[in-house]
């Protein structure tokens, strides 16, 4: 590897680290850190991110952080299973009618499918 | 001597934990299981009835038994006792590979080797990171989360199964319960075993409650559980709103409670909100009440939200008749409207007019219909592309998680099923305009809501298109039959099956079903045939009969035969209708009228008694629809108080 290439790679790693140090909100895509969006924000070419092993390991760490957060939500949902994570991400107008009161969306879907109430 | 390490010496009882990988009935008396155990693959032999639980692939059990040598199948573990178990370390890898999609056996084994005995602790504590590192595959974190959540569910399921497997509750019911309650499943079931009624039948749950949880016969939870089971049974038959007598009868069918206890149970259920009054004489279950309230609140919220554009309202088309154009433009200007049209063509003309008005403003207008046949007629008459309400619910009207632009939705159906509407609600938002277009059908037994009932609500814009011509000849003949005594009897004659009108055929009780099938087959020569039944139970019965008896001869021009309840079809949906009227006293005259009107050309009533054409013997129910306006007002007032419409 030429010196300029090595420097270029190191710069990319530094940029990503400094971006992470600014404590940003991590963009997500399909339960993982959204690499394309992060690269765009940190001004790193996507090809560089794929080829650079240090950046790859940073992304694996990010994925684990994202999943740890999701895991916490999942455990909450298992503890009181009726709280469904997706409710929060649905548009507000869809929340008000059927999910109000005791009707949580998992129990609600079951009610609509079978006519039976999960107490 | 045993050749395989999995098989221990004969004659001694031993216990082995096994993951079931296949199960089949080897003969009428026993099942043969193939197990993965810590010693390898092993075959096991299970006598029928030894365990009252369906053993299926993917389950893990602790089996106790003896090794026997069967002449036909070789060495087998003959099971004497079995108990559901949490997978031990030795069979962890095959268990995870079986249950976690995307996890191969080799990778699961590598993960187990990497983490050793710590794997179970990691999964119990929900530690994703070490599992992800041990997996070492693309997207390991997702797989690790899946592993942990599946393990948590399995542990909860096993705890529940250990308590209840003796009582005949199915694996599906237990897994669904775990899906809802998660790790609190056992605690919830111990608190009130009748919670399981949401997932299982009453009998097994009641047995478990009485025997395992030692509940008293007159325990409040049991009494209310019995009422719940009766409400679910009525719902399965198609009754959402019922009288107290009907409910008492259903409770009596479910359990051996005395009359006094039944009344007590119903009162308790009313006090605890499990039953809700639906007017002066009717009751409904808590679930249906919640659905109905949600639909009413959505409709009233639609009505209140400001109209964003009235451009469509100002446009009219020259070729439309004056009334239709005027009603269409008025409906386009309001959020929720209901239009009754006595004639189908007038309704279609209105639909076309509305679609054109919105099309001129570049707004999308969806046309949803109650049945496939009606969709076809709308498409043929108007050139629009309609779809059934059920399909719209299943496929969605727009992309998920995307807020759609305001749309107009014309629902062409004379009845509104609240459950279907509630499913549709998830895809609507208050900026949508809703139009209900249909025909003024009579109240017919179990119909959830007819459009005329909505007319009783003052808050909704409503119009009734003028009656230009008389209704179709079949309905006209039927109404004459019902209302006028002494009319000439029109007996159905098979050789004249192409004639139009309403006909009768009276048969002996033991030939009744054969007559229904035979008449249906004869009418197939003249297009589609609908066999109209009273409730879902009768529908299932006749559908099975038709499937068994109706041989498709492959002759061209034979129409389809469908078995329907009167709620699920629109007037004129079939060319011919066979009305199943086994006991006329059990049906109301309005049900009969509605059933006959489903035919476009001819209706044949098959019955077991000579009818005097006055229907003096028929019941005329107090309509559950009459109280709808009161419920509407109550629900919309509650909604207004909560301020949710804002």
């Amino acid at each position: 590897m030429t010196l300029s290439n090595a420097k270029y790679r190191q710069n990319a790693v530094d940029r990503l680290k400094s971006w992470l140090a600014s404590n940003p909100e991590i963009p997500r895509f399909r339960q993982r850190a959204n690499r394309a969006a992060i690269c765009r924000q940190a001004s790193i070419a996507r090809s560089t991110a794929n080829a650079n092993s240090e950046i790859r390991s940073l992304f694996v760490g990010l994925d684990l952080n994202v999943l740890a957060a999701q895991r916490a939500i999942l455990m909450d949902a298992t503890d009181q299973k009726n709280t469904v994570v997706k409710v929060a991400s649905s548009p507000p107008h869809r929340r008000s009618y059927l999910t109000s009161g005791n009707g949580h969306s998992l129990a609600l879907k079951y009610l609509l499918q079978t006519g039976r109430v999960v107490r | 001597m045993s050749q395989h390490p999995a098989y221990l010496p004969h004659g001694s009882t031993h216990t082995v934990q096994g993951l079931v990988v296949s199960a089949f009935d080897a003969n009428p008396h026993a099942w043969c299981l193939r197990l993965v155990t810590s010693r390898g693959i092993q075959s096991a032999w299970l006598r029928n009835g030894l365990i009252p639980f369906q053993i299926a692939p993917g389950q893990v059990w602790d089996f106790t038994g003896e090794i026997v040598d069967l002449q036909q199948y070789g060495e087998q573990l003959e099971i004497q006792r079995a108990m559901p178990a949490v997978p031990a370390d030795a069979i962890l890898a095959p268990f995870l590979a079986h249950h976690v999609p995307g996890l191969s056996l080799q990778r699961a084994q590598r993960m187990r080797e990497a983490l050793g005995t710590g794997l179970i602790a990691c999964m119990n504590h929900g530690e994703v990171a070490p599992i992800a590192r041990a997996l070492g595959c693309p997207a390991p974190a997702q797989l690790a989360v899946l592993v942990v959540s599946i393990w948590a569910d399995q542990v909860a399921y096993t705890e529940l199964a250990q308590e209840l497997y003796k009582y005949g509750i199915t694996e599906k019911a237990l897994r669904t319960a775990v899906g809802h309650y998660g790790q609190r499943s056992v605690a919830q079931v111990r608190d009130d075993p009748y919670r399981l009624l949401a997932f299982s039948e009453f009998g097994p749950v009641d047995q478990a409650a009485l025997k395992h949880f030692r509940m008293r016969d007159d325990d409040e939870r049991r009494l209310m559980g019995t009422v719940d089971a009766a409400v679910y049974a009525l719902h399965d038959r198609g009754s959402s709103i019922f009288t107290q007598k009907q409910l008492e009868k259903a409770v009596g069918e479910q359990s051996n409670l005395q009359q006094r206890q039944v009344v007590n149970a119903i009162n308790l259920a009313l006090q605890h909100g499990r039953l809700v009054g639906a007017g002066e004489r009717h009751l409904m279950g808590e679930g249906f009440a919640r659905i109905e309230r949600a639909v009413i609140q959505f409709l009233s919220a639609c009505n209140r939200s400001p109209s964003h554009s009235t451009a469509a309202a100002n446009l009219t088309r020259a070729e439309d008749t004056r009334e239709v154009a005027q009603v269409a433009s008025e409906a386009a200007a309001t959020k929720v409207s209901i239009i009754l049209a006595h004639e189908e063509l007038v309704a279609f003309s209105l639909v076309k007019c509305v679609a054109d008005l919105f099309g001129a403003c570049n707004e999308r207008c969806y046309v949803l219909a109650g049945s496939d046949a009606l969709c076809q007629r709308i498409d043929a008459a108007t050139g629009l592309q309609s779809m059934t309400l059920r399909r719209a619910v299943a496929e969605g009207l727009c992309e998920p998680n995307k807020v759609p632009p305001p749309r107009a939705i014309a629902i062409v159906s004379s009845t509104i099923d609240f459950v279907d509407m509630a499913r549709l609600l998830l895809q609507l938002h208050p900026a949508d305009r809703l139009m209900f277009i249909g025909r003024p059908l009579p109240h017919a037994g179990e119909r959830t809501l007819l459009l005329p009932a909505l007319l009783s609500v003052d808050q909704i814009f409503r119009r009734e298109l003028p009656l230009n011509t008389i209704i179709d000849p079949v309905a006209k003949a039927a109404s004459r039959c019902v209302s006028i005594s002494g009319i000439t009897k029109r007996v159905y004659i098979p050789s004249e099956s192409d004639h139009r009108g309403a006909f009768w055929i009276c048969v002996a009780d033991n030939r009744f079903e054969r007559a229904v099938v035979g008449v249906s087959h004869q009418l197939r020569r003249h297009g589609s045939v609908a066999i109209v039944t009273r409730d879902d139970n009768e529908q299932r019965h006749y559908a099975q009969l038709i499937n068994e008896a109706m041989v498709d001869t492959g002759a061209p021009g034979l129409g389809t035969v469908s078995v329907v309840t009167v709620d699920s079809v629109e007037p004129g949906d079939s060319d011919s209708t066979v009305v199943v009227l086994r006991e006329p006293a059990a049906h109301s005259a309005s049900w009969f009228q509605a059933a006959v009107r489903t035919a476009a050309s001819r209706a044949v009533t098959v019955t077991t008694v000579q009818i005097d054409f006055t229907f003096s013997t028929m019941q005329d129910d107090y309509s559950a629809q009459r109280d709808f306006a009161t419920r509407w007002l109550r629900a919309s007032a509650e909604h207004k108080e909560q301020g949710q419409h804002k």
Side-chain angles (χ1 to χ4, degrees):
Chain A
M1 186 187 295
T2 61
L3 192 62
S4 61
N5 267 353
K7 198 174 175 185
Y8 187 80
R9 287 166 64 105
Q10 189 54 46
N11 278 344
V13 174
D14 290 345
R15 273 203 296 275
L16 184 58
K17 280 182 178 170
S18 66
W19 182 79
L20 287 173
S22 66
N23 202 11
E25 188 182 343
I26 308 292
R28 295 175 190 186
F29 179 68
R30 290 187 180 164
Q31 302 179 355
R32 296 167 70 183
N34 187 341
R35 288 159 202 239
I38 293 171
C39 288
R40 214 178 300 125
Q41 289 186 32
S43 311
I44 302 168
R46 186 69 206 275
S47 56
T48 313
N50 286 339
N52 191 325
S53 58
E54 205 169 340
I55 289 181
R56 278 210 306 271
S57 66
L58 280 172
F59 274 130
V60 170
L62 274 180
D63 280 350
L64 286 174
N65 286 344
V66 167
L67 280 161
Q70 280 173 354
R71 177 70 196 151
I73 296 167
L74 189 74
M75 293 307 280
D76 273 357
T78 320
D79 282 348
Q80 30 179 314
K81 194 83 185 188
N82 289 332
T83 319
V84 170
V85 181
K86 280 183 181 171
V87 171
S89 62
S90 62
H93 64 263
R94 292 189 186 169
R95 264 184 259 161
S96 48
Y97 303 100
L98 287 167
T99 55
S100 60
N102 295 325
H104 301 285
S105 73
L106 188 62
L108 170 78
K109 276 182 192 162
Y110 193 73
L111 172 65
L112 291 178
Q113 276 170 9
T114 63
R116 299 182 176 211
V117 182
V118 180
R119 300 187 194 287
Chain B
M1 190 179 163
S2 281
Q3 298 295 314
H4 193 278
Y7 297 95
L8 294 174
H10 293 205
S12 61
T13 302
H14 66 275
T15 301
V16 63
Q17 188 178 82
L19 166 74
V20 182
V21 286
S22 78
F24 61 94
D25 43 349
N27 64 37
H29 312 292
W31 280 69
C32 189
L33 310 177
R34 206 148 172 81
L35 312 173
V36 175
T37 68
S38 56
R39 299 195 190 96
I41 301 287
Q42 186 168 13
S43 286
W45 192 253
L46 176 68
R47 272 182 291 117
N48 277 355
L50 189 72
I51 304 168
F53 196 87
Q54 180 72 48
I55 293 190
Q59 296 171 357
V60 178
W61 293 77
D62 280 337
F63 293 108
T64 304
E66 281 180 19
I67 299 291
V68 292
D69 198 349
L70 299 177
Q71 209 170 20
Q72 189 179 356
Y73 296 100
E75 284 188 329
Q76 305 274 324
L77 171 74
E78 187 175 6
I79 296 167
Q80 290 162 351
R81 281 196 309 277
M83 171 71 93
V86 178
D89 195 40
I91 60 164
L92 209 51
F95 169 81
L96 290 174
H98 191 282
H99 284 269
V100 181
L103 181 66
S104 65
L105 182 60
Q106 290 80 5
R107 198 174 291 281
Q109 278 165 345
R110 276 206 298 275
M111 175 176 70
R112 188 180 152 259
E113 283 162 15
L115 291 172
T117 50
L119 177 56
I120 290 183
C122 283
M123 290 192 294
N124 282 337
H125 296 126
E127 290 169 13
V128 177
I131 296 174
R133 272 184 231 111
L135 279 169
C137 58
Q142 280 78 12
L143 209 52
V145 168
L146 210 54
V147 167
V148 170
S149 62
I150 284 173
W151 178 259
D153 281 354
Q154 177 67 21
V155 171
Y157 161 76
T158 309
E159 282 174 4
L160 203 57
Q162 282 172 347
E163 299 245 8
L164 299 171
Y165 78 99
K166 288 178 192 160
Y167 302 101
I169 299 174
T170 60
E171 183 191 3
K172 189 183 169 194
L174 295 179
R175 288 213 183 266
T176 319
V178 169
H180 282 87
Y181 298 128
Q183 290 168 347
R184 296 180 306 142
S185 302
V186 175
Q188 294 278 16
V189 171
R190 278 186 189 147
D191 178 47
D192 181 0
Y194 290 93
R195 284 182 210 273
L196 286 174
L197 284 176
F199 319 107
S200 176
E201 296 300 315
F202 180 74
V205 175
D206 195 39
Q207 263 202 350
L210 295 176
K211 290 183 184 168
H212 190 77
F213 297 104
R214 295 169 193 270
M215 199 171 271
R216 282 185 297 126
D217 275 1
D218 58 347
D219 192 291
E220 281 194 359
R221 291 170 290 180
R222 180 168 190 258
L223 294 180
M224 285 195 287
T226 316
V227 174
D228 280 345
V231 171
Y232 298 151
L234 285 169
H235 179 273
D236 291 345
R237 281 182 225 158
S239 293
S240 309
I241 298 177
F242 34 80
T243 60
Q244 180 152 349
K245 258 189 184 172
Q246 284 173 313
L247 183 62
E248 282 174 13
K249 193 178 167 195
V251 173
E253 284 168 8
Q254 292 285 334
S255 65
N256 53 358
L257 293 180
Q258 295 168 358
Q259 180 62 23
R260 182 180 51 80
Q261 287 177 313
V262 171
V263 175
N264 191 16
I266 292 174
N267 288 339
L268 264 176
L270 275 165
Q271 281 169 20
H272 285 80
R274 306 268 182 104
L275 281 177
V276 180
E280 288 174 27
R281 300 188 199 175
H282 291 85
L283 299 168
M284 54 186 171
E286 181 196 351
F288 182 73
R290 200 184 293 171
I291 290 172
E292 191 189 67
R293 197 167 55 234
V295 173
I296 290 173
Q297 290 182 349
F298 182 83
L299 291 180
S300 59
C302 282
N303 237 8
R304 281 195 211 103
S305 57
S307 184
H308 79 109
S309 158
T310 53
N314 301 325
L315 297 172
T316 49
R317 297 186 330 154
E319 62 267 33
D320 290 317
T321 61
R322 204 170 147 195
E323 290 93 344
V324 170
Q326 191 183 348
V327 169
S329 62
E330 282 174 355
T334 50
K335 285 290 180 184
V336 181
S337 52
I338 164 165
I339 300 134
L340 287 183
H342 288 262
E343 284 181 83
E344 197 170 73
L345 284 177
V346 177
F348 292 170
S349 170
L350 182 77
V351 170
K352 176 75 175 154
C353 191
V354 166
D356 288 351
L357 288 179
F358 281 97
C361 304
N362 291 327
E363 280 187 28
R364 183 81 196 263
C365 179
Y366 291 90
V367 181
L368 311 181
S371 63
D372 281 317
L374 186 57
C375 274
Q376 286 169 5
R377 293 205 298 277
I378 292 172
D379 295 355
T382 62
L384 298 169
Q385 279 196 332
S386 60
M387 64 170 120
T388 59
L389 189 58
R390 297 224 162 142
R391 194 177 143 207
V393 169
E395 294 179 5
L397 291 175
C398 66
E399 286 175 34
N401 297 327
K402 190 177 171 187
V403 179
R407 305 159 294 184
I409 293 152
I411 300 173
V412 187
S413 173
S414 310
T415 56
I416 298 171
D417 184 337
F418 271 109
V419 179
D420 281 345
M421 269 306 290
R423 289 176 187 153
L424 188 68
L425 278 198
L426 298 172
Q427 312 197 20
L428 302 182
H429 64 96
D432 289 333
R433 285 191 185 81
L434 282 175
M435 266 164 258
F436 297 97
I437 301 164
R439 300 166 83 175
L441 296 189
H443 166 66
E446 313 297 353
R447 286 165 189 250
T448 309
L449 181 63
L450 297 166
L451 290 193
L454 263 186
L455 275 181
S456 61
V457 178
D458 290 333
Q459 296 172 3
I460 292 183
F461 167 83
R462 54 214 195 272
R463 283 283 181 276
E464 192 159 354
L465 283 169
L467 186 67
N468 291 332
T469 55
I470 196 68
I471 44 179
D472 51 89
V474 178
K476 196 174 152 191
S479 63
R480 265 212 316 269
C481 289
V482 171
S483 58
I484 305 166
S485 59
I487 193 173
T488 315
K489 189 192 278 187
R490 296 190 71 188
V491 178
Y492 171 74
I493 300 166
S495 59
E496 295 172 1
S497 61
D498 57 332
H499 288 198
R500 292 182 164 218
F503 301 90
W504 304 87
I505 180 166
C506 181
V507 294
D509 192 56
N510 59 348
R511 292 183 188 168
F512 186 81
E513 285 158 355
R514 206 200 295 177
V516 171
V517 175
V519 170
S520 312
H521 187 62
Q522 288 157 7
L523 294 176
R524 286 174 81 192
R525 283 176 292 172
H526 315 296
S528 60
V529 180
I531 300 175
V532 182
T533 56
R534 179 166 170 78
D535 56 33
D536 291 352
N537 275 350
E538 210 175 47
Q539 183 196 5
R540 279 191 284 272
H541 174 65
Y542 280 98
Q544 195 182 350
L545 271 183
I546 291 292
N547 277 341
E548 287 167 5
M550 200 67 80
V551 181
D552 201 343
T553 54
L558 281 185
T560 55
V561 179
S562 56
V563 185
V564 293
T565 53
V566 78
D567 326 34
S568 55
V569 280
E570 285 285 305
D573 262 3
S574 62
D575 293 317
S576 312
T577 289
V578 178
V579 183
V580 179
L581 200 68
R582 192 164 202 154
E583 295 169 11
H587 298 70
S588 65
S590 51
W591 176 87
F592 175 71
Q593 276 189 333
V596 167
R597 284 184 65 179
T598 57
S601 305
R602 61 193 69 77
V604 179
T605 306
V606 185
T607 182
T608 52
V609 291
Q610 290 288 345
I611 297 173
D612 61 0
F613 296 100
T614 59
F615 281 116
S616 55
T617 56
M618 281 193 164
Q619 295 174 351
D620 265 315
D621 300 338
Y622 176 85
S623 167
Q625 314 287 334
R626 290 183 200 174
D627 301 313
F628 178 73
T630 321
R631 298 206 297 276
W632 173 287
L633 287 175
R634 201 190 311 146
S636 61
E638 274 174 24
H639 190 219
K640 202 174 175 184
E641 279 173 21
Q642 290 164 3
Q644 286 188 355
H645 63 278
K646 289 175 187 173

